[in-house]
């Protein structure tokens, strides 16, 4: 795996040290009438703005990586991202099993048994100060089982051009957006406890979506792209005759499912 570390900027750590020194001096009554503790709300505001603008507490970007395919013919991708957003897509370079960017100073776990590979991206194995998005791109010439979960993060999975052999994408408070894969050897499950689920079927793709609706979880679909063929079952219109059927199972609690 190839990776590149980025230099850690010193501005934020120096600011934290300066605030700590001021609080220490205040504790020993060395600042007269000045109250350093009054700067704490400002410090929290600056810290929040830093994360929003830079996407990370300590780095300008995540660590890039790439793993060569070798003799792998099938793979399992497991992602437990917690509060981090996840972006999935198709690999750009030939000969790569997987590539993209991961948390700073971290690397995914890889196990290979025969021609099968198992890759795991775990939030618990990364620095807690790293909030940059995980951007992961997969090889398009082998089947993937995709298992993705987040608690606060969102998932944006463009699976077009990929082969999927089932899996699960689930979020707690985040939205899910999925572009249907070109081929699915088993149904793909999509779930969200408190977020919207967006499904996009590329033109000509044969797709069928089963939605478990509830009192606070409804389906909204574009009639030019989808049609309801049975209660809680929707199919993409005008699929190509040679397009393999992709099936997705959708379930949510709070939010809506959008078919486009």
């Amino acid at each position: 795996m190839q990776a590149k570390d980025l230099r850690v900027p010193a501005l934020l750590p120096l600011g934290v040290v300066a605030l700590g020194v001021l609080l220490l001096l205040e504790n020993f009554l060395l600042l007269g009438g000045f109250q350093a503790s009054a700067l704490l709300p400002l410090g929290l505001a600056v810290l929040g703005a830093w994360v929003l603008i830079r996407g990370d507490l300590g780095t300008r970007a995540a660590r890039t990586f790439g793993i060569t395919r070798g003799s792998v013919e099938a793979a399992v991708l497991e992602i437990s991202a917690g509060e981090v957003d996840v972006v999935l897509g198709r690999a750009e370079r030939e000969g790569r099993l997987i590539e993209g960017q991961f948390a700073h100073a971290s690397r995914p776990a890889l196990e290979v048994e025969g021609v099968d590979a198992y890759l795991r991206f775990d939030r618990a194995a990364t620095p807690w100060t790293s909030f940059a998005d995980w951007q992961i791109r997969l090889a398009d010439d082998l089947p993937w089982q995709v298992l993705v979960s987040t608690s606060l993060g969102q998932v944006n999975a463009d699976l077009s051009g990929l082969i999927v052999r089932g899996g699960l994408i689930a979020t707690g408070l985040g939205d899910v957006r999925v572009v249907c894969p070109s081929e699915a050897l088993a149904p793909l499950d999509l779930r969200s406890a408190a977020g919207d689920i967006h499904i996009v079927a590329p033109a000509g793709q044969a797709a069928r979506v089963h939605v478990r609706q509830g009192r606070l979880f409804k389906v909204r679909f574009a009639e030019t792209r989808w049609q309801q063929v049975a209660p809680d079952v929707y199919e993409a219109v005008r699929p190509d005759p040679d397009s393999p059927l992709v099936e997705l199972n959708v379930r949510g609690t709070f939010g809506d499912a959008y078919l486009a």
Side-chain angles (χ1 to χ4, degrees):
M1 181 172 64
Q2 298 176 347
K4 179 176 66 176
D5 290 320
L6 300 174
R7 300 181 63 181
V8 178
L11 181 59
L12 183 61
L14 288 176
V16 173
V17 171
L19 182 59
V21 171
L22 288 175
L23 292 173
L24 183 63
L25 293 176
E26 179 187 0
N27 186 57
F28 287 101
L29 305 177
L30 298 177
L31 296 180
F34 179 74
Q35 294 184 347
S37 56
L39 298 176
L40 281 176
L42 177 61
L44 292 175
V46 171
L47 184 62
W50 183 283
V51 174
L52 287 174
I53 295 173
R54 303 175 68 100
D56 202 307
L57 286 175
T59 62
R60 292 182 179 273
R63 181 180 185 177
T64 59
F65 73 94
I67 301 176
T68 57
R69 175 176 173 177
S71 59
V72 173
E73 296 181 3
V76 176
L77 173 67
E78 181 177 353
I79 301 174
S80 179
E83 67 279 10
V84 177
D85 293 343
V86 177
V87 180
L88 294 180
R90 183 179 180 182
E92 300 174 354
R93 298 180 58 181
E94 295 184 2
R96 288 288 179 89
L97 175 65
I98 190 171
E99 63 185 15
Q101 70 173 33
F102 190 38
H104 181 70
S106 305
R107 62 178 59 195
L110 170 64
E111 297 179 9
V112 178
E113 183 176 348
V115 295
D116 298 322
Y118 175 87
L119 295 112
R120 177 171 173 79
F121 295 74
D122 192 355
R123 174 60 171 156
T126 68
W128 69 270
T129 55
S130 178
F131 293 99
D133 296 350
W134 296 356
Q135 298 182 10
I136 300 167
R137 298 183 294 274
L138 310 175
D140 60 1
D141 55 353
L142 72 155
W144 289 88
Q145 184 179 15
V146 179
L147 305 169
V148 182
S149 66
T150 71
S151 55
L152 301 178
Q154 302 186 48
V155 179
N156 187 344
D158 184 353
L159 305 179
S160 57
L162 297 177
I163 305 171
V164 174
R165 54 187 179 103
L168 169 66
I169 298 177
T171 64
L173 299 181
D175 293 344
V176 176
R177 181 183 183 275
V178 172
V179 179
C180 294
S182 297
E183 184 176 357
L185 306 180
L188 179 64
D189 294 338
L190 308 178
R191 300 177 186 173
S192 180
D196 295 330
I197 298 177
H198 301 259
I199 299 175
V200 178
Q205 176 65 55
R208 180 183 297 138
V209 177
H210 304 261
V211 183
R212 182 181 296 183
Q213 299 189 64
R215 182 173 300 177
L216 299 176
F217 188 81
K218 302 297 183 181
V219 179
R220 306 177 188 276
F221 65 97
E223 295 182 356
T224 58
R225 296 290 300 117
W226 296 85
Q227 60 182 344
Q228 186 173 5
V229 297
D232 297 333
V233 180
Y234 303 83
E235 290 186 354
V237 299
R238 296 184 296 276
D240 293 336
D242 298 331
S243 175
L245 179 63
V246 172
E247 294 201 63
L248 302 98
N249 300 319
V250 177
R251 187 173 68 186
T253 305
F254 300 100
D256 289 306
Y258 294 88
L259 310 182

